């Protein structure tokens, strides 16, 4: 009798797991290594950095106007990668970005962001800004072809 119950339970578990839809989307944990409104002037850019040489090159380039530049964070590229986001130039201050979620779906990396900026009519500092961020994430198991920025409305 007990073996019949085990068989029924086993069959139910197998049938249930087979009926569940497979989701290829994986959410990544992340750590913001650096964020500033005052980076080097450049076009809006999204880039996945997977080695120390590329990281040092971009880090140095983005902090070219700041002396002394902040100490470069340490990244273990055997386990992690870094996402570099540059949001382009703005002629006012008070802009900031918050990473809500990072998800990999097949060869796409979707970064969900909340943009904080002065509302119309609110005072804003008139100054050229070039916000950027470096985000550390665990290495991806598959190749990334595209990085998509998805703007999320503030909660």
């Amino acid at each position: 009798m007990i073996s019949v119950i085990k068989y029924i339970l086993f069959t139910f578990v197998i049938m249930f797991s087979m009926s569940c839809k497979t989701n290829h989307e994986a959410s990544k944990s992340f750590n913001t290594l650096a964020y500033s409104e005052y980076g080097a002037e450049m076009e809006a850019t999204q880039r996945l950095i997977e080695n120390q040489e590329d990281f040092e090159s971009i880090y140095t380039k983005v902090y070219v106007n700041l002396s002394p530049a902040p100490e470069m964070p340490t990244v273990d590229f055997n386990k992690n990668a870094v996402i570099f986001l540059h949001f382009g130039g703005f002629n006012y201050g008070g802009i900031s970005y918050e990473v809500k979620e990072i998800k990999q779906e097949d060869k796409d990396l979707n970064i969900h962001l909340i943009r904080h900026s002065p509302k119309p009519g609110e005072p804003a500092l008139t100054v050229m800004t070039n916000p950027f961020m470096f985000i550390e994430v665990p290495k991806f198991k598959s190749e990334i072809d595209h990085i998509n920025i998805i703007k999320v409305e503030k909660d």
Side-chain angles (χ1 to χ4, degrees):
M1 182 69 174
I2 292 185
S3 62
V4 172
I5 293 172
K6 284 183 182 178
Y7 176 76
I8 292 170
L9 255 161
F10 178 74
T11 304
F12 175 77
V13 168
I14 296 297
M15 288 175 57
F16 178 77
S17 64
M18 289 175 63
S19 69
C20 292
K21 185 177 179 181
T22 302
N23 186 354
H24 297 286
E25 199 170 274
S27 186
K28 284 281 188 190
S29 60
F30 60 89
N31 175 34
T32 302
L33 297 174
Y35 178 87
S36 178
E37 279 188 78
Y38 303 105
E41 188 176 324
M42 62 173 56
E43 296 289 319
T45 304
Q46 303 89 33
R47 181 163 177 203
L48 182 63
I49 304 168
E50 300 182 284
N51 62 64
Q52 186 67 33
E53 185 179 327
D54 289 347
F55 181 55
E56 288 175 10
S57 173
I58 293 172
Y59 194 87
T60 303
K61 182 179 180 181
V62 80
Y63 279 113
V64 72
N65 296 328
L66 192 60
S67 181
E71 186 175 328
M72 187 177 310
T74 303
V75 177
D76 181 354
F77 284 100
N78 293 318
K79 298 177 183 175
N80 300 313
V82 173
I83 301 166
F84 171 65
L85 302 176
H86 193 290
F87 302 100
F90 297 89
N91 59 5
Y92 58 93
I95 298 170
S96 67
Y97 291 87
E98 175 186 344
V99 178
K100 189 78 170 164
E101 186 173 41
I102 299 174
K103 287 185 177 183
Q104 180 183 6
E105 187 172 355
D106 298 323
K107 292 187 175 195
D108 284 351
L109 184 61
N110 298 319
I111 302 173
H112 300 257
L113 295 173
I114 297 174
R115 178 181 161 171
H116 303 279
S117 60
K119 296 186 181 16
E122 287 184 345
L125 186 60
T126 304
V127 63
M128 290 301 298
T129 59
N130 292 283
F132 68 90
M133 65 174 46
F134 289 95
I135 308 163
E136 183 179 31
V137 293
K139 269 209 183 279
F140 297 96
K141 292 183 174 135
S142 62
E143 190 175 321
I144 301 295
D145 285 341
H146 299 96
I147 297 176
N148 303 308
I149 302 300
I150 300 167
K151 293 196 172 85
V152 179
E153 295 299 319
K154 191 174 176 183
D155 293 336

